Amino acid sequence: MSFHSIPNADLLDTLCPMHVLVSPTGHIDHVGPTLRKLRPGKPWTGMRLLELFRIMRPREVQSVTDLKDVVGKKLHLELREAPRTALKGVIIWNRQANGFVLNLSFGMSVLDAVRDYALSSADFAATDLAVEMLYLVEAKSAAMAASSKLNMRLQGAKIAAEEQAFTDTLTGLKNRRALEMILGRLVASNTPLTVMHVDLDYFKAVNDTLGHAAGDHVLLNVARALIDTTREGDTVARVGGDEFTIVLPGESDLSDLQNAGERMISELEKPVKFKGNDCLISGSIGTVIWDGSTDTTPEQLVDDADVALYASKNAGRGRQTFYEPSLRNLAENLEPPKGR
């Protein structure tokens, strides 16, 4: 049967671009223009309906004779060929054409179909709500993409702001706020650790004689030296003008800590060149070791390290002292060190 001999075929192509005209024998006489795109370059007419489509529901449809029993009922079908597009439809008996008219739609699979077959709004009936849904989905996708980009920028700005809030602006090291947070987390988890409080000796003389630009230059060199003499997982923080605190998680070996302190002091005693002048400083260190088993607080550990540092200063500077409770009695009877 030719296209022009099929009653109302042109009308169906416009109003129902996904229809199928089926003969009483179950052979396809004609398909709508959109449906043809699902099998580009392949024949439709003359093929048996159930050779191209698998009717999923109702399950009782096994042959063309069963189609009469489901006239007017909703059908769930899928193409037998990949990508096995899911379809919905309803079938009626057309007395004028002496055959069945099966009208199909993509249902919830419309987005997949548009992607798989490169469909456009022209492939749908003018009254098909799928077109409006596609516009809504497209608008929503655009809005979500814009929202995602905005969220990424805001998240990036938040991360940058948080990083800035925990960073010393001159040296790029962690600041006191970051130190408190990191030390608090380690103490709360009972992680054994060591705290080293480093104070620069004779730094005031550099500022007084060569100016603050020289002092800043020295501080940058000190920051690099402390980073180079600690491990990747350690925290180095600048907590004051010329004061630094180092947290070493999991480190408690006295010999290793003595060696680490000696390396730091040796690096800090190397002259720093600034505009032809040698900036000469050294470093005093107070160290406290915590095994994670005794009750303490971050504040207590920092205070213990500061007591040990105080002892190093009074013992002549340029050395490391390990905290012992007896140092507190000593600190009470010593004069504060001058010319820090």
Side-chain angles (χ1 to χ4, degrees):
M1 184 180 293
S2 69
F3 171 79
H4 294 290
S5 65
I6 299 173
N8 300 322
D10 54 346
L11 181 63
L12 288 172
D13 280 355
T14 301
L15 298 180
C16 307
M18 291 186 64
H19 74 277
V20 186
L21 295 182
V22 185
S23 71
T25 60
H27 292 83
I28 295 175
D29 290 332
H30 179 71
V31 296
T34 300
L35 198 58
R36 285 197 291 271
K37 290 188 175 183
L38 274 59
R39 302 178 72 246
K42 295 181 180 181
W44 283 88
T45 57
M47 302 289 292
R48 288 185 177 275
L49 177 71
L50 297 182
E51 289 178 349
L52 296 182
F53 294 94
R54 177 184 290 108
I55 298 180
M56 313 301 290
R57 294 195 301 273
R59 298 184 182 277
E60 61 266 20
V61 180
Q62 300 296 323
S63 66
V64 66
T65 57
D66 297 328
L67 291 177
K68 293 182 179 180
D69 296 330
V70 294
V71 167
K73 295 182 180 179
K74 184 182 295 185
L75 304 179
H76 293 262
L77 313 86
E78 69 173 14
L79 279 173
R80 292 183 181 272
E81 299 174 0
R84 301 185 185 279
T85 302
L87 299 163
K88 291 184 178 181
V90 62
I91 192 168
I92 62 171
W93 176 258
N94 185 351
R95 293 180 181 177
Q96 184 180 3
N98 189 31
F100 297 100
V101 178
L102 174 62
N103 190 33
L104 299 172
S105 71
F106 292 111
M108 295 303 294
S109 64
V110 63
L111 295 177
D112 295 333
V114 169
R115 178 198 63 212
D116 294 339
Y117 305 108
L119 303 180
S120 68
S121 59
D123 295 308
F124 296 87
T127 57
D128 194 336
L129 294 179
V131 177
E132 278 71 20
M133 188 182 78
L134 289 173
Y135 287 145
L136 288 174
V137 170
E138 184 175 355
K140 180 180 179 181
S141 298
M144 289 181 66
S147 177
S148 178
K149 289 180 180 179
L150 177 60
N151 286 336
M152 289 179 65
R153 289 199 297 270
L154 292 175
Q155 185 67 16
K158 179 182 177 183
I159 292 173
E162 290 177 348
E163 185 66 22
Q164 186 176 6
F166 292 112
T167 302
D168 176 60
T169 55
L170 174 63
T171 63
L173 299 176
K174 294 290 190 290
N175 59 17
R176 184 182 294 276
R177 182 180 178 186
L179 173 71
E180 292 172 351
M181 183 185 71
I182 293 169
L183 194 53
R185 184 171 64 244
L186 292 172
V187 170
S189 62
N190 297 109
T191 301
L193 56 86
T194 292
V195 177
M196 302 176 74
H197 193 174
V198 182
D199 188 272
L200 303 185
D201 305 319
Y202 315 115
F203 178 75
K204 184 176 183 298
V206 174
N207 272 335
D208 291 345
T209 59
L210 299 177
H212 289 288
D216 289 348
H217 182 67
V218 169
L219 290 172
L220 288 170
N221 278 270
V222 169
R224 283 193 293 269
L226 295 179
I227 289 292
D228 290 342
T229 52
T230 52
R231 303 167 304 178
E232 184 176 351
D234 298 335
T235 297
V236 181
R238 182 185 177 209
V239 295
D242 60 349
E243 296 179 61
F244 301 82
T245 298
I246 303 171
V247 178
L248 303 94
E251 183 58 79
S252 60
D253 185 271
L254 187 61
S255 177
D256 289 345
L257 291 169
Q258 286 175 331
N259 292 334
E262 290 172 3
R263 289 197 304 273
M264 290 179 194
I265 293 169
S266 177
E267 288 295 319
L268 295 179
E269 289 179 345
K270 293 179 180 179
V272 177
K273 290 288 186 181
F274 181 76
K275 295 183 177 180
N277 298 294
D278 285 338
C279 302
L280 301 175
I281 63 168
S282 65
S284 296
I285 305 174
T287 300
V288 59
I289 302 172
W290 182 58
D291 64 5
S293 65
T294 58
D295 290 336
T296 192
T297 64
E299 295 78 14
Q300 184 62 55
L301 291 173
V302 170
D303 187 65
D304 291 346
D306 195 50
V307 169
L309 170 65
Y310 191 88
S312 289
K313 286 283 189 180
N314 280 281
R317 300 180 175 86
R319 65 190 64 203
Q320 177 177 213
T321 301
F322 287 85
Y323 174 76
E324 296 178 359
S326 59
L327 291 177
R328 290 193 172 276
N329 296 328
L330 179 64
E332 293 175 359
N333 299 319
L334 291 176
E335 293 293 329
K338 298 179 181 179
R340 296 181 69 171

